[in-house]
Short mmCIF file of all heavy atoms in Angstrom, two decimals:
data_model
loop_
_atom_site.label_atom_id
_atom_site.label_comp_id
_atom_site.label_asym_id
_atom_site.label_seq_id
_atom_site.Cartn_x
_atom_site.Cartn_y
_atom_site.Cartn_z
N LEU L 99 -25.70 -1.94 -17.49
CA LEU L 99 -27.00 -1.38 -17.11
C LEU L 99 -27.13 0.10 -17.50
O LEU L 99 -28.21 0.56 -17.88
CB LEU L 99 -27.22 -1.53 -15.60
CG LEU L 99 -27.45 -2.96 -15.10
CD1 LEU L 99 -27.49 -3.00 -13.58
CD2 LEU L 99 -28.76 -3.52 -15.66
N LEU L 100 -26.01 0.84 -17.42
CA LEU L 100 -26.03 2.25 -17.82
C LEU L 100 -26.39 2.38 -19.30
O LEU L 100 -27.16 3.26 -19.69
CB LEU L 100 -24.66 2.89 -17.58
CG LEU L 100 -24.37 3.37 -16.17
CD1 LEU L 100 -22.90 3.74 -16.04
CD2 LEU L 100 -25.23 4.58 -15.82
N LEU L 101 -25.82 1.49 -20.10
CA LEU L 101 -26.13 1.52 -21.53
C LEU L 101 -27.58 1.14 -21.77
O LEU L 101 -28.27 1.72 -22.61
CB LEU L 101 -25.19 0.58 -22.29
CG LEU L 101 -23.74 1.09 -22.37
CD1 LEU L 101 -22.80 -0.01 -22.82
CD2 LEU L 101 -23.66 2.28 -23.31
N ILE L 102 -28.08 0.18 -20.97
CA ILE L 102 -29.48 -0.25 -21.12
C ILE L 102 -30.44 0.89 -20.74
O ILE L 102 -31.43 1.11 -21.43
CB ILE L 102 -29.74 -1.53 -20.28
CG1 ILE L 102 -28.98 -2.71 -20.90
CG2 ILE L 102 -31.23 -1.83 -20.18
CD1 ILE L 102 -28.94 -3.96 -20.05
N GLU L 103 -30.14 1.64 -19.66
CA GLU L 103 -31.05 2.73 -19.29
C GLU L 103 -31.11 3.80 -20.38
O GLU L 103 -32.16 4.37 -20.66
CB GLU L 103 -30.72 3.34 -17.91
CG GLU L 103 -29.41 4.09 -17.79
CD GLU L 103 -29.12 4.58 -16.36
OE1 GLU L 103 -28.73 3.75 -15.51
OE2 GLU L 103 -29.27 5.77 -16.11
N LEU L 104 -29.95 4.03 -21.02
CA LEU L 104 -29.90 5.01 -22.11
C LEU L 104 -30.74 4.53 -23.30
O LEU L 104 -31.48 5.31 -23.91
CB LEU L 104 -28.44 5.19 -22.52
CG LEU L 104 -28.07 6.41 -23.35
CD1 LEU L 104 -28.43 7.70 -22.64
CD2 LEU L 104 -26.57 6.41 -23.66
N ILE L 105 -30.65 3.24 -23.59
CA ILE L 105 -31.43 2.67 -24.71
C ILE L 105 -32.92 2.67 -24.37
O ILE L 105 -33.76 3.03 -25.20
CB ILE L 105 -30.94 1.22 -25.02
CG1 ILE L 105 -29.50 1.25 -25.56
CG2 ILE L 105 -31.87 0.52 -26.00
CD1 ILE L 105 -28.80 -0.09 -25.54
N LEU L 106 -33.26 2.30 -23.11
CA LEU L 106 -34.67 2.18 -22.71
C LEU L 106 -35.40 3.51 -22.77
O LEU L 106 -36.55 3.57 -23.18
CB LEU L 106 -34.77 1.62 -21.29
CG LEU L 106 -34.67 0.11 -21.14
CD1 LEU L 106 -34.82 -0.26 -19.68
CD2 LEU L 106 -35.72 -0.61 -21.96
N VAL L 107 -34.72 4.58 -22.33
CA VAL L 107 -35.41 5.87 -22.27
C VAL L 107 -35.68 6.39 -23.68
O VAL L 107 -36.54 7.24 -23.89
CB VAL L 107 -34.63 6.89 -21.40
CG1 VAL L 107 -33.54 7.57 -22.19
CG2 VAL L 107 -35.58 7.91 -20.80
N MET L 108 -34.95 5.87 -24.67
CA MET L 108 -35.18 6.30 -26.05
C MET L 108 -36.42 5.63 -26.64
O MET L 108 -37.00 6.11 -27.59
CB MET L 108 -33.95 6.01 -26.91
CG MET L 108 -32.74 6.76 -26.37
SD MET L 108 -31.30 6.58 -27.40
CE MET L 108 -31.73 7.68 -28.72
N ARG L 109 -36.82 4.52 -26.02
CA ARG L 109 -38.03 3.79 -26.43
C ARG L 109 -38.02 3.49 -27.93
O ARG L 109 -38.86 3.97 -28.69
CB ARG L 109 -39.28 4.60 -26.05
CG ARG L 109 -40.47 3.72 -25.85
CD ARG L 109 -41.67 4.54 -25.44
NE ARG L 109 -42.85 3.68 -25.33
CZ ARG L 109 -44.07 4.15 -25.17
NH1 ARG L 109 -44.28 5.44 -25.08
NH2 ARG L 109 -45.08 3.34 -25.06
N LEU L 110 -37.03 2.68 -28.30
CA LEU L 110 -36.93 2.23 -29.69
C LEU L 110 -37.88 1.05 -29.89
O LEU L 110 -38.56 0.64 -28.95
CB LEU L 110 -35.48 1.81 -29.98
CG LEU L 110 -34.41 2.82 -29.54
CD1 LEU L 110 -33.03 2.22 -29.69
CD2 LEU L 110 -34.53 4.10 -30.35
N SER L 111 -37.88 0.50 -31.08
CA SER L 111 -38.69 -0.71 -31.31
C SER L 111 -38.11 -1.83 -30.46
O SER L 111 -36.93 -1.79 -30.09
CB SER L 111 -38.65 -1.10 -32.78
OG SER L 111 -37.36 -1.59 -33.09
N ARG L 112 -38.94 -2.85 -30.18
CA ARG L 112 -38.47 -3.94 -29.33
C ARG L 112 -37.24 -4.62 -29.95
O ARG L 112 -36.26 -4.92 -29.25
CB ARG L 112 -39.59 -4.96 -29.12
CG ARG L 112 -39.16 -6.17 -28.33
CD ARG L 112 -40.31 -6.85 -27.64
NE ARG L 112 -40.88 -6.00 -26.59
CZ ARG L 112 -42.08 -6.19 -26.05
NH1 ARG L 112 -42.83 -7.18 -26.46
NH2 ARG L 112 -42.52 -5.39 -25.11
N ALA L 113 -37.27 -4.86 -31.28
CA ALA L 113 -36.15 -5.54 -31.95
C ALA L 113 -34.86 -4.73 -31.82
O ALA L 113 -33.80 -5.27 -31.51
CB ALA L 113 -36.49 -5.77 -33.42
N GLU L 114 -34.99 -3.41 -32.03
CA GLU L 114 -33.82 -2.54 -31.93
C GLU L 114 -33.29 -2.50 -30.50
O GLU L 114 -32.08 -2.52 -30.25
CB GLU L 114 -34.23 -1.12 -32.34
CG GLU L 114 -33.51 -0.57 -33.55
CD GLU L 114 -33.96 0.85 -33.82
OE1 GLU L 114 -35.16 1.15 -33.69
OE2 GLU L 114 -33.08 1.68 -34.12
N THR L 115 -34.21 -2.42 -29.52
CA THR L 115 -33.82 -2.39 -28.10
C THR L 115 -33.02 -3.64 -27.75
O THR L 115 -31.95 -3.56 -27.15
CB THR L 115 -35.07 -2.29 -27.20
OG1 THR L 115 -35.77 -1.09 -27.55
CG2 THR L 115 -34.71 -2.24 -25.73
N ASN L 116 -33.55 -4.81 -28.16
CA ASN L 116 -32.87 -6.06 -27.84
C ASN L 116 -31.49 -6.14 -28.49
O ASN L 116 -30.50 -6.50 -27.85
CB ASN L 116 -33.70 -7.27 -28.30
CG ASN L 116 -34.93 -7.46 -27.42
OD1 ASN L 116 -35.06 -6.80 -26.38
ND2 ASN L 116 -35.83 -8.32 -27.85
N ALA L 117 -31.43 -5.78 -29.77
CA ALA L 117 -30.16 -5.89 -30.50
C ALA L 117 -29.11 -4.98 -29.88
O ALA L 117 -27.97 -5.40 -29.63
CB ALA L 117 -30.38 -5.53 -31.97
N LYS L 118 -29.49 -3.73 -29.60
CA LYS L 118 -28.52 -2.78 -29.04
C LYS L 118 -28.09 -3.18 -27.63
O LYS L 118 -26.95 -3.00 -27.23
CB LYS L 118 -29.11 -1.37 -29.02
CG LYS L 118 -29.09 -0.72 -30.41
CD LYS L 118 -29.35 0.77 -30.33
CE LYS L 118 -29.78 1.32 -31.68
NZ LYS L 118 -28.78 1.15 -32.74
N THR L 119 -29.06 -3.70 -26.84
CA THR L 119 -28.75 -4.11 -25.47
C THR L 119 -27.70 -5.22 -25.46
O THR L 119 -26.72 -5.16 -24.70
CB THR L 119 -30.05 -4.61 -24.78
OG1 THR L 119 -30.96 -3.53 -24.73
CG2 THR L 119 -29.76 -5.10 -23.38
N ILE L 120 -27.89 -6.21 -26.33
CA ILE L 120 -26.95 -7.34 -26.35
C ILE L 120 -25.58 -6.91 -26.85
O ILE L 120 -24.55 -7.20 -26.22
CB ILE L 120 -27.53 -8.51 -27.20
CG1 ILE L 120 -28.74 -9.11 -26.46
CG2 ILE L 120 -26.47 -9.58 -27.46
CD1 ILE L 120 -29.59 -10.04 -27.31
N LYS L 121 -25.55 -6.14 -27.93
CA LYS L 121 -24.26 -5.72 -28.51
C LYS L 121 -23.48 -4.82 -27.54
O LYS L 121 -22.31 -5.07 -27.24
CB LYS L 121 -24.50 -4.94 -29.82
CG LYS L 121 -24.63 -5.85 -31.03
CD LYS L 121 -24.50 -5.07 -32.32
CE LYS L 121 -25.74 -4.22 -32.58
NZ LYS L 121 -25.75 -3.58 -33.90
N LEU L 122 -24.16 -3.77 -27.03
CA LEU L 122 -23.46 -2.82 -26.16
C LEU L 122 -23.15 -3.42 -24.79
O LEU L 122 -22.08 -3.18 -24.23
CB LEU L 122 -24.26 -1.53 -26.02
CG LEU L 122 -24.38 -0.68 -27.29
CD1 LEU L 122 -25.24 0.56 -27.03
CD2 LEU L 122 -23.00 -0.25 -27.78
N GLY L 123 -24.07 -4.22 -24.27
CA GLY L 123 -23.85 -4.85 -22.96
C GLY L 123 -22.65 -5.79 -22.99
O GLY L 123 -21.82 -5.79 -22.06
N THR L 124 -22.54 -6.59 -24.05
CA THR L 124 -21.42 -7.53 -24.17
C THR L 124 -20.10 -6.77 -24.31
O THR L 124 -19.10 -7.10 -23.65
CB THR L 124 -21.62 -8.45 -25.40
OG1 THR L 124 -22.92 -9.02 -25.32
CG2 THR L 124 -20.57 -9.54 -25.45
N ALA L 125 -20.10 -5.74 -25.13
CA ALA L 125 -18.88 -4.95 -25.31
C ALA L 125 -18.45 -4.30 -23.99
O ALA L 125 -17.26 -4.25 -23.66
CB ALA L 125 -19.10 -3.89 -26.39
N ALA L 126 -19.44 -3.82 -23.23
CA ALA L 126 -19.12 -3.16 -21.96
C ALA L 126 -18.50 -4.15 -20.97
O ALA L 126 -17.50 -3.84 -20.31
CB ALA L 126 -20.39 -2.55 -21.37
N ALA L 127 -19.07 -5.36 -20.89
CA ALA L 127 -18.54 -6.37 -19.98
C ALA L 127 -17.10 -6.74 -20.37
O ALA L 127 -16.21 -6.85 -19.52
CB ALA L 127 -19.44 -7.60 -19.98
N LEU L 128 -16.89 -6.89 -21.66
CA LEU L 128 -15.56 -7.23 -22.18
C LEU L 128 -14.54 -6.14 -21.83
O LEU L 128 -13.40 -6.42 -21.43
CB LEU L 128 -15.65 -7.39 -23.71
CG LEU L 128 -14.51 -8.12 -24.40
CD1 LEU L 128 -14.47 -9.58 -23.95
CD2 LEU L 128 -14.69 -8.07 -25.92
N MET L 129 -14.97 -4.89 -21.96
CA MET L 129 -14.11 -3.74 -21.65
C MET L 129 -13.63 -3.78 -20.19
O MET L 129 -12.46 -3.54 -19.89
CB MET L 129 -14.91 -2.46 -21.93
CG MET L 129 -14.28 -1.17 -21.51
SD MET L 129 -15.32 0.23 -22.02
CE MET L 129 -16.54 0.27 -20.70
N ILE L 130 -14.54 -4.10 -19.27
CA ILE L 130 -14.21 -4.14 -17.84
C ILE L 130 -13.27 -5.31 -17.54
O ILE L 130 -12.26 -5.16 -16.84
CB ILE L 130 -15.49 -4.29 -16.98
CG1 ILE L 130 -16.54 -3.25 -17.33
CG2 ILE L 130 -15.14 -4.27 -15.50
CD1 ILE L 130 -16.10 -1.83 -17.23
N VAL L 131 -13.60 -6.48 -18.10
CA VAL L 131 -12.83 -7.69 -17.82
C VAL L 131 -11.39 -7.54 -18.33
O VAL L 131 -10.44 -7.97 -17.67
CB VAL L 131 -13.52 -8.94 -18.44
CG1 VAL L 131 -12.62 -10.14 -18.42
CG2 VAL L 131 -14.83 -9.22 -17.69
N LEU L 132 -11.22 -6.89 -19.48
CA LEU L 132 -9.87 -6.69 -20.01
C LEU L 132 -9.10 -5.62 -19.25
O LEU L 132 -7.88 -5.65 -19.18
CB LEU L 132 -9.94 -6.32 -21.50
CG LEU L 132 -10.37 -7.43 -22.46
CD1 LEU L 132 -10.63 -6.88 -23.85
CD2 LEU L 132 -9.30 -8.53 -22.52
N GLY L 133 -9.82 -4.66 -18.66
CA GLY L 133 -9.13 -3.56 -17.95
C GLY L 133 -8.54 -3.98 -16.61
O GLY L 133 -7.50 -3.48 -16.20
N TYR L 134 -9.23 -4.92 -15.93
CA TYR L 134 -8.82 -5.27 -14.56
C TYR L 134 -7.39 -5.78 -14.41
O TYR L 134 -6.65 -5.31 -13.54
CB TYR L 134 -9.83 -6.22 -13.92
CG TYR L 134 -9.52 -6.49 -12.47
CD1 TYR L 134 -9.49 -5.44 -11.53
CD2 TYR L 134 -9.21 -7.76 -12.01
CE1 TYR L 134 -9.18 -5.67 -10.21
CE2 TYR L 134 -8.90 -8.00 -10.68
CZ TYR L 134 -8.89 -6.95 -9.78
OH TYR L 134 -8.57 -7.17 -8.47
N PRO L 135 -6.94 -6.74 -15.28
CA PRO L 135 -5.55 -7.21 -15.12
C PRO L 135 -4.55 -6.05 -15.24
O PRO L 135 -3.50 -6.06 -14.59
CB PRO L 135 -5.37 -8.20 -16.28
CG PRO L 135 -6.74 -8.61 -16.66
CD PRO L 135 -7.63 -7.44 -16.38
N GLY L 136 -4.87 -5.03 -16.04
CA GLY L 136 -4.01 -3.85 -16.17
C GLY L 136 -3.99 -3.02 -14.91
O GLY L 136 -2.95 -2.52 -14.48
N GLU L 137 -5.16 -2.90 -14.27
CA GLU L 137 -5.28 -2.06 -13.07
C GLU L 137 -4.42 -2.61 -11.93
O GLU L 137 -3.81 -1.84 -11.18
CB GLU L 137 -6.75 -2.00 -12.63
CG GLU L 137 -7.08 -1.00 -11.53
CD GLU L 137 -7.01 0.45 -12.02
OE1 GLU L 137 -7.89 0.87 -12.78
OE2 GLU L 137 -6.05 1.14 -11.63
N ILE L 138 -4.36 -3.96 -11.80
CA ILE L 138 -3.63 -4.54 -10.66
C ILE L 138 -2.19 -4.91 -11.03
O ILE L 138 -1.42 -5.34 -10.17
CB ILE L 138 -4.36 -5.77 -10.06
CG1 ILE L 138 -4.63 -6.84 -11.14
CG2 ILE L 138 -5.66 -5.36 -9.38
CD1 ILE L 138 -5.05 -8.19 -10.57
N ALA L 139 -1.83 -4.74 -12.32
CA ALA L 139 -0.46 -5.07 -12.74
C ALA L 139 0.53 -4.14 -12.04
O ALA L 139 0.24 -2.98 -11.82
CB ALA L 139 -0.33 -4.92 -14.26
N THR L 140 1.68 -4.71 -11.68
CA THR L 140 2.67 -3.87 -10.99
C THR L 140 3.64 -3.21 -11.97
O THR L 140 4.28 -2.23 -11.63
CB THR L 140 3.46 -4.70 -9.95
OG1 THR L 140 3.83 -5.94 -10.56
CG2 THR L 140 2.61 -4.96 -8.71
N ASP L 141 3.75 -3.76 -13.20
CA ASP L 141 4.64 -3.07 -14.14
C ASP L 141 3.83 -2.34 -15.21
O ASP L 141 2.71 -2.75 -15.57
CB ASP L 141 5.66 -4.03 -14.77
CG ASP L 141 5.05 -4.98 -15.75
OD1 ASP L 141 4.19 -5.80 -15.29
OD2 ASP L 141 5.38 -4.94 -16.95
N LEU L 142 4.39 -1.24 -15.69
CA LEU L 142 3.68 -0.36 -16.61
C LEU L 142 3.43 -1.02 -17.97
O LEU L 142 2.45 -0.70 -18.63
CB LEU L 142 4.45 0.96 -16.78
CG LEU L 142 4.41 1.91 -15.58
CD1 LEU L 142 5.18 3.19 -15.88
CD2 LEU L 142 2.97 2.25 -15.21
N GLY L 143 4.28 -1.97 -18.36
CA GLY L 143 4.09 -2.65 -19.64
C GLY L 143 2.78 -3.42 -19.67
O GLY L 143 1.98 -3.29 -20.61
N ALA L 144 2.52 -4.21 -18.60
CA ALA L 144 1.29 -4.98 -18.52
C ALA L 144 0.08 -4.05 -18.43
O ALA L 144 -0.97 -4.32 -19.01
CB ALA L 144 1.33 -5.91 -17.31
N ARG L 145 0.25 -2.94 -17.70
CA ARG L 145 -0.84 -1.98 -17.58
C ARG L 145 -1.23 -1.43 -18.95
O ARG L 145 -2.41 -1.31 -19.29
CB ARG L 145 -0.42 -0.83 -16.65
CG ARG L 145 -1.57 0.06 -16.22
CD ARG L 145 -1.15 1.14 -15.21
NE ARG L 145 -2.31 1.92 -14.81
CZ ARG L 145 -3.03 1.70 -13.72
NH1 ARG L 145 -2.73 0.72 -12.90
NH2 ARG L 145 -4.08 2.46 -13.45
N ALA L 146 -0.18 -1.11 -19.76
CA ALA L 146 -0.42 -0.56 -21.10
C ALA L 146 -1.08 -1.61 -22.00
O ALA L 146 -2.00 -1.29 -22.76
CB ALA L 146 0.90 -0.09 -21.70
N LEU L 147 -0.61 -2.88 -21.91
CA LEU L 147 -1.15 -3.94 -22.76
C LEU L 147 -2.64 -4.16 -22.52
O LEU L 147 -3.45 -4.09 -23.44
CB LEU L 147 -0.38 -5.25 -22.51
CG LEU L 147 -0.97 -6.48 -23.21
CD1 LEU L 147 -0.73 -6.42 -24.72
CD2 LEU L 147 -0.38 -7.78 -22.63
N TRP L 148 -3.01 -4.42 -21.24
CA TRP L 148 -4.42 -4.70 -20.92
C TRP L 148 -5.28 -3.45 -21.13
O TRP L 148 -6.42 -3.55 -21.59
CB TRP L 148 -4.56 -5.23 -19.49
CG TRP L 148 -4.01 -6.62 -19.35
CD1 TRP L 148 -2.84 -6.97 -18.74
CD2 TRP L 148 -4.57 -7.84 -19.84
NE1 TRP L 148 -2.63 -8.32 -18.82
CE2 TRP L 148 -3.69 -8.89 -19.50
CE3 TRP L 148 -5.73 -8.15 -20.56
CZ2 TRP L 148 -3.93 -10.22 -19.82
CZ3 TRP L 148 -5.98 -9.48 -20.89
CH2 TRP L 148 -5.08 -10.49 -20.52
#
Side-chain angles (χ1 to χ4, degrees):
Chain L
L99 290 173
L100 278 170
L101 289 166
I102 291 170
E103 67 184 76
L104 197 59
I105 294 164
L106 278 181
V107 84
M108 300 185 76
R109 206 178 176 190
L110 311 172
S111 70
R112 176 156 294 163
E114 241 182 320
T115 300
N116 288 351
K118 283 194 199 299
T119 298
I120 291 167
K121 275 195 287 188
L122 292 179
T124 308
L128 197 65
M129 172 176 82
I130 308 304
V131 168
L132 289 170
Y134 186 60
E137 189 71 72
I138 55 167
T140 45
D141 71 297
L142 287 181
R145 193 176 182 95
L147 172 72
W148 290 106

